[in-house]
Amino acid sequence: MADGGKTSTTIKSMALSAGREIAAVIVAILLALAINEWWEDHEREQRKVELLDKLYIELAENLARLKTAHAHHSKHLDFIRAETQNPENLTADDYQRIFNTMYRQGIMRPALLTDANWEIAKLTNLISYIELEQLSSLIQVFALFEAHEFRWRQNGDAQTLANQEEDPQKILELYFEILNETWWVEKSVIAALEALLNGEEIGDKPWEN
């Protein structure tokens, strides 16, 4: 009976020791996993911050390009309005002169917008780690980028039709329409970009903010 008691005690002691070792291994594994997960989160956050910095720099550069193009188109629109205040007094030669003046300065001047860092954010899935409110604003801005690009595709078709017109007055009217519609798209994108870069809400009609 004594030997049996010692054996039982030894078995219990070994089982307890083994249990402790197993628990220690499990704790070590869980700790290692937690540290690894923390490090991955840290690295991902760093990549996100760096990418957002580059993205906002790119957006600021796009804003500068847009403002330059917008000022150019505004100048042409103001010129047409000023020169055609009294259309009843204008001849075909007058309309041709107005058009020629604009043509020499370059009538359409598109802003070449880039979205390289936005595409990287989507391809690397870092987009899913951007705060919801910030992400919503970015999505709105890039939707307006698409509208801007679509407007310029339409401009190409419209210019082709305008250039086939022989009546100088009709040509000028068509270009005024192209410029005016482009002006409003540019104004929307500029307002949205300014709101985003200033940390403000964009809204459904950014040009009214």
Side-chain angles (χ1 to χ4, degrees):
M1 292 291 293
D3 289 342
K6 288 180 180 180
T7 301
S8 177
T9 301
T10 300
I11 293 173
K12 288 180 180 180
S13 177
M14 291 173 63
L16 182 60
S17 178
R20 288 173 178 170
E21 290 180 6
I22 293 171
V25 171
I26 292 173
V27 169
I29 291 172
L30 292 175
L31 182 60
L33 289 173
I35 292 173
N36 185 60
E37 184 177 352
W38 173 85
W39 181 251
E40 287 181 357
D41 289 343
H42 174 73
E43 288 287 291
R44 184 168 51 238
E45 182 66 19
Q46 286 294 106
R47 292 197 303 272
K48 185 193 78 173
V49 170
E50 290 174 5
L51 183 60
L52 281 175
D53 286 344
K54 292 178 182 178
L55 175 58
Y56 275 75
I57 290 172
E58 186 178 26
L59 289 174
E61 292 170 349
N62 281 324
L63 177 59
R65 295 188 195 101
L66 267 169
K67 285 185 172 180
T68 299
H70 193 59
H72 178 77
H73 299 142
S74 296
K75 179 181 176 181
H76 277 323
L77 286 170
D78 291 341
F79 177 69
I80 294 173
R81 292 188 185 101
E83 292 291 320
T84 58
Q85 285 183 353
N86 301 305
E88 65 277 1
N89 297 328
L90 297 178
T91 65
D93 287 341
D94 290 324
Y95 283 106
Q96 189 64 53
R97 172 186 56 80
I98 296 168
F99 178 79
N100 289 345
T101 301
M102 294 169 55
Y103 184 80
R104 285 192 293 269
Q105 298 174 3
I107 299 177
M108 308 304 297
R109 189 172 294 177
L112 301 178
L113 306 183
T114 61
D115 62 353
N117 288 292
W118 179 244
E119 290 300 316
I120 291 172
K122 291 190 289 185
L123 289 171
T124 58
N125 200 37
L126 287 175
I127 191 173
S128 62
Y129 297 97
I130 299 174
E131 287 73 13
L132 186 59
E133 184 176 348
Q134 187 179 28
L135 180 60
S136 176
S137 295
L138 286 167
I139 289 172
Q140 283 181 274
V141 164
F142 284 103
L144 287 170
F145 274 32
E146 292 180 5
H148 178 268
E149 183 180 349
F150 180 70
R151 177 68 254 166
W152 278 100
R153 288 199 298 269
Q154 289 183 314
N155 284 350
D157 295 336
Q159 284 180 268
T160 299
L161 291 175
N163 293 337
Q164 292 173 352
E165 181 63 53
E166 296 182 358
D167 182 354
Q169 180 179 354
K170 186 63 175 176
I171 293 173
L172 194 64
E173 289 172 350
L174 287 171
Y175 267 98
F176 181 87
E177 183 179 344
I178 296 169
L179 284 163
N180 189 57
E181 291 182 5
T182 301
W183 189 92
W184 276 105
V185 172
E186 288 172 341
K187 184 176 177 63
S188 299
V189 185
I190 288 171
L193 274 172
E194 288 180 334
L196 176 66
L197 294 172
N198 291 328
E200 300 168 356
E201 185 177 352
I202 293 177
D204 295 332
K205 297 180 179 179
W207 59 88
E208 294 182 349
N209 291 344

